[in-house]
Amino acid sequence: MTTVSPLTLHPSPASIPGPRDAFGRRMNYLRISLTDRCNFRCLYCMPAVGMQFQPREELLTDDELIRLVGLFAEAGVSKLRLTGGEPTIRPHLVELVRAFKSFPNITEIAMTTNALILSRNAGELKEAGLDRINVSIDTLDPVKFKFMTRGGRFDLVWKGIEEADRVGLGPIKLNSVVVRGQNDHEVAEMARLTLDRPWQVRFLEIMPMEGVGMVYDEGLVTSEETRRELERTFGPLEQLEANPSDPARLWRIPGARGTIGFISPISEPFCETCNRIRLTADGNLRLCLLHADEVNLRDMMRTGASDAEVMAAMRGGIWRKPWGHRVAEGERNTVRGMSQIGG
């Protein structure tokens, strides 16, 4: 029998700032892809060969990024997540974090990273205003890790995680995409990390992004399957209250210091409480991860649009944000790969 923790009071939707879509959802969370490049080639994210990266002149410059973040902040966005590709390979990352955090309305900056080179500047990022990190890590087996990332070094990733924890970039969240036949038998080992660490290990369902559709077709493991696998090892998990806008549904191994999250975009879509919009590395406002509809803000800026004109285009795009995706019904409208969108 599962138990639910005491109810946590969350703000009502009407009290949340941020531009609104046609369904009344407030968009106060902007995910920014800083680059479409990555120092890994994870099998569920990029094809093994033939990956095409955009010319650097098509990517947003530092000044363009800072200008757009200022406009989003003015519109009511309060939380940023820096993504990629791999955000730590973006030049001037520390300076960008410091500039983003200088806007009064930006109260939280998080980053999703593979942590390969994070140990080099975790302290600088913390000092500049980065609040916490999520680390993409799908296995604790160094050999399997190298295979799934197509060449990544587990020891350097773990060093980055430990350094981030040491300097206070927490609570640490570890994201593990569960792929059938690859790491689905290792979920209990990942979950054990929460027994004596105040971390959150999050298990994600794979998504059918461009270039990796076959991996999705053959590899989808639902969150319910993963939870059952964990309960075979640990017994019944305790269900916890979570913020409705957080895509992770939270559970805990009884007595554990940390928590377990399940992110289920395929089997249990969370579109109703979505508060996220995305800015691609080439300056497109992407309204939904799994829809191709975008607003090109980069070209507006480069052809002389005023802040008011860019703001109007941004608000207009957000207003037409789709209700959700229909991946479970067979629809696939991704067009871009995950590394190009920013996750």
Side-chain angles (χ1 to χ4, degrees):
M1 180 178 179
T2 59
T3 59
V4 180
S5 66
L7 180 66
T8 301
L9 295 178
H10 299 294
S12 66
S15 68
I16 298 173
R20 189 177 64 182
D21 70 7
F23 303 100
R25 296 173 297 186
R26 293 284 186 178
M27 301 298 125
N28 64 347
Y29 178 7
L30 175 65
R31 300 175 68 99
I32 304 172
S33 176
L34 296 181
T35 177
D36 64 340
R37 290 162 170 77
C38 188
N39 40 17
F40 285 173
R41 296 290 184 272
C42 296
L43 58 86
Y44 56 79
C45 183
M46 295 187 187
V49 295
M51 186 68 193
Q52 297 294 316
F53 298 108
Q54 292 175 283
R56 295 189 186 278
E57 61 270 17
E58 293 184 4
L59 305 184
L60 290 174
T61 66
D62 291 357
D63 287 343
E64 288 168 339
L65 271 169
I66 293 167
R67 179 184 177 189
L68 285 176
V69 168
L71 291 175
F72 279 108
E74 183 181 336
V77 166
S78 59
K79 177 180 177 179
L80 305 180
R81 175 169 296 280
L82 310 181
T83 70
E86 173 48 40
T88 59
I89 66 175
R90 168 85 187 208
H92 313 130
L93 175 60
V94 172
E95 290 79 6
L96 284 171
V97 170
R98 184 173 289 111
F100 296 162
K101 203 60 174 287
S102 71
F103 294 106
N105 288 347
I106 301 300
T107 59
E108 179 181 340
I109 302 180
M111 182 172 71
T112 297
T113 173
N114 61 32
L116 181 68
I117 60 175
L118 185 60
S119 63
R120 302 178 187 177
N121 62 357
E124 289 182 278
L125 288 166
K126 175 67 176 177
E127 183 276 330
L130 186 67
D131 294 293
R132 61 181 186 82
I133 61 162
N134 289 20
V135 178
S136 302
I137 179 169
D138 303 314
T139 175
L140 302 178
D141 179 343
V143 175
K144 176 60 69 66
F145 184 88
K146 186 173 184 178
F147 173 79
M148 292 190 72
T149 59
R150 299 191 178 108
R153 283 183 54 182
F154 177 83
D155 60 325
L156 295 181
V157 169
W158 196 255
K159 181 180 178 181
I161 294 171
E162 291 184 322
E163 180 64 10
D165 197 29
R166 187 189 71 80
V167 302
L169 288 173
I172 301 290
K173 296 182 180 181
L174 304 184
N175 293 343
S176 178
V177 177
V178 184
V179 184
R180 193 176 308 281
Q182 296 293 337
N183 63 342
D184 53 326
H185 61 290
E186 301 177 49
V187 294
E189 290 306 306
M190 289 292 299
R192 284 185 202 281
L193 294 173
T194 69
L195 292 177
D196 57 2
R197 298 174 177 86
W199 297 355
Q200 184 180 125
V201 172
R202 313 201 305 175
F203 297 105
L204 288 70
E205 294 178 344
I206 189 173
M207 289 185 284
M209 306 307 295
E210 186 71 14
V212 294
M214 185 175 294
V215 178
Y216 166 82
D217 292 333
E218 298 176 355
L220 175 64
V221 179
T222 67
S223 294
E224 178 61 25
E225 291 179 81
T226 300
R227 186 169 67 85
R228 288 200 304 266
E229 178 65 24
L230 294 180
E231 291 189 331
R232 276 193 282 271
T233 300
F234 302 108
L237 303 180
E238 300 174 354
Q239 189 171 7
L240 307 175
E241 182 72 14
N243 189 317
S245 64
D246 189 335
R249 298 299 171 253
L250 297 184
W251 301 71
R252 180 168 54 210
I253 300 170
R257 292 185 65 197
T259 58
I260 294 170
F262 295 100
I263 299 181
S264 319
I266 307 303
S267 65
E268 298 179 68
F270 34 85
C271 306
E272 181 179 358
T273 57
C274 182
N275 65 340
R276 294 170 294 285
I277 46 179
R278 291 169 170 83
L279 183 63
T280 67
D282 59 355
N284 283 275
L285 174 61
R286 188 166 178 110
L287 309 175
C288 173
L289 177 62
L290 293 171
H291 277 272
D293 192 13
E294 297 178 343
V295 179
N296 191 327
L297 302 179
R298 179 202 64 194
D299 286 359
M300 288 189 68
M301 292 189 295
R302 292 184 181 180
T303 54
S306 67
D307 284 354
E309 290 169 327
V310 175
M311 177 79 82
M314 179 184 73
R315 288 184 176 277
I318 291 171
W319 180 257
R320 70 170 192 265
K321 177 181 170 72
W323 172 254
H325 65 78
R326 293 175 55 84
V327 172
E329 290 75 30
E331 289 189 14
R332 300 188 187 182
N333 302 303
T334 54
V335 180
R336 296 197 198 218
M338 184 70 82
S339 66
Q340 296 170 317
I341 298 170

